[in-house]
Amino acid sequence: MKPPARRPPQRADTAPPRHGLARVLSKLGVCSRSQAESAIRDGRVAVNGRVERNPERPSDAGRERITLDGQPVAAAAKRYIAVNKPRGIVVTAADERGRDTIYALLADAGLPWLGPVGRLDKASEGLLLLSNDTVWAAGITEPAGALEKTYHVQVAGIPDAAALAAMEAGIVDQGERLAARRATLLRSGDKNAWLEVVLDEGRNRHIRRLLDALGYDTLRLLRVSIGRLALGTLAKGAWRDLTAEEVAALRQP
């Protein structure tokens, strides 16, 4: 009696995973995910010649022909820039109150769509990153293994050693724990002082809320570095491309 024929080993499916159409457009660096969702619902996106209005429709840019406003969609060249955000500028694509946004600084630069990597509130200033590489951006902003961010903060009053220790110990505000990884006194005058505050996470108005809970008003807040990338001499309101080495240094494993 012949032994049963051996079946050939099954080949693993090597097809790339399919994602929702809006996420595919975002990952290609064409626009933000929310912009993609709006474009899809408005009937501006077609897949294989058919208008698609479902942002979650499973899609594969490598195997399907996707168009936006009739133009084929291809992966945009990756761009990574640093901006010295001035105070009073909001970090959003559009503002319902008509305030100047970060994109007003880039209006004549001929750049592709770029999304902010993290945030700085309207009253804050300093180093802000923008990129159309959403995977790289997520590695910087995700809480796990987040890069340290360093701020120089001017406060009303002169925090003593106990206040600095309290910033590092942390407080609970509105159900959130807020703490500085490090807080040191840079210099002081008669009525105010400059602190260096390092965070390894970032919640909404993190430093301002922390200082307010300890009785100190924030007068100025300037982000001076993200990881090993320093703001340096970049002029206020100016931007520059990151070098390949800087991009790699900010990339999370």
Side-chain angles (χ1 to χ4, degrees):
M1 185 175 180
K2 291 183 178 181
R6 297 181 63 185
R7 294 181 179 180
Q10 297 294 314
R11 293 181 60 188
D13 185 5
T14 58
R18 291 161 67 84
H19 300 293
L21 182 55
R23 184 180 176 191
V24 167
L25 292 175
S26 174
K27 287 175 72 68
L28 288 173
V30 175
C31 57
S32 71
R33 190 163 179 173
S34 60
Q35 289 170 334
E37 289 174 352
S38 296
I40 293 165
R41 292 194 176 100
D42 290 344
R44 297 167 53 202
V45 177
V47 180
N48 296 329
R50 181 175 179 176
V51 172
E52 180 57 64
R53 295 180 183 271
N54 177 12
E56 298 303 320
R57 185 251 195 212
S59 305
D60 180 355
R63 299 186 179 190
E64 297 174 312
R65 183 174 183 271
I66 302 174
T67 59
L68 173 63
D69 295 331
Q71 299 300 312
V73 170
K78 297 293 188 287
R79 291 291 293 271
Y80 312 84
I81 72 169
V83 180
N84 186 349
K85 174 194 171 300
R87 188 173 184 171
I89 296 289
V90 293
V91 182
T92 183
D95 183 68
E96 68 281 358
R97 294 165 58 185
R99 296 172 296 182
D100 286 337
T101 77
I102 194 69
Y103 292 98
L105 303 176
L106 310 174
D108 300 321
L111 293 166
W113 169 82
L114 299 172
V117 183
R119 289 288 188 271
L120 280 175
D121 63 39
K122 181 188 174 207
S124 300
E125 52 194 300
L127 181 60
L128 177 71
L129 303 177
L130 292 96
S131 178
N132 56 1
D133 186 339
T134 56
V135 175
W136 178 82
I140 294 174
T141 57
E142 287 176 351
L147 293 167
E148 289 187 349
K149 300 174 180 65
T150 303
Y151 302 80
H152 287 177
V153 188
Q154 185 185 34
V155 298
I158 317 294
D160 58 16
L164 298 175
M167 291 182 69
E168 295 177 356
I171 56 106
V172 175
D173 179 65
Q174 300 175 23
E176 292 182 315
R177 184 177 182 277
L178 306 175
R181 187 172 181 86
R182 291 186 299 278
T184 55
L185 179 67
L186 290 176
R187 60 185 182 274
S188 62
D190 294 333
K191 297 182 179 179
N192 56 62
W194 279 92
L195 309 179
E196 181 170 274
V197 180
V198 179
L199 302 181
D200 54 9
E201 61 178 349
R203 302 184 184 276
N204 182 39
R205 303 182 74 251
H206 190 133
I207 295 175
R208 296 178 189 279
R209 290 163 59 196
L210 176 58
L211 286 165
D212 184 64
L214 297 173
Y216 296 95
D217 291 332
T218 300
L219 304 179
R220 285 186 67 189
L221 191 152
L222 172 70
R223 184 155 66 197
V224 296
S225 69
I226 299 173
R228 289 183 287 169
L229 179 69
L231 178 62
T233 59
L234 186 63
K236 190 173 294 187
W239 67 273
R240 69 171 180 86
D241 284 295
L242 300 186
T243 67
E245 291 77 13
E246 289 171 332
V247 171
L250 290 167
R251 183 171 286 115
Q252 292 294 307

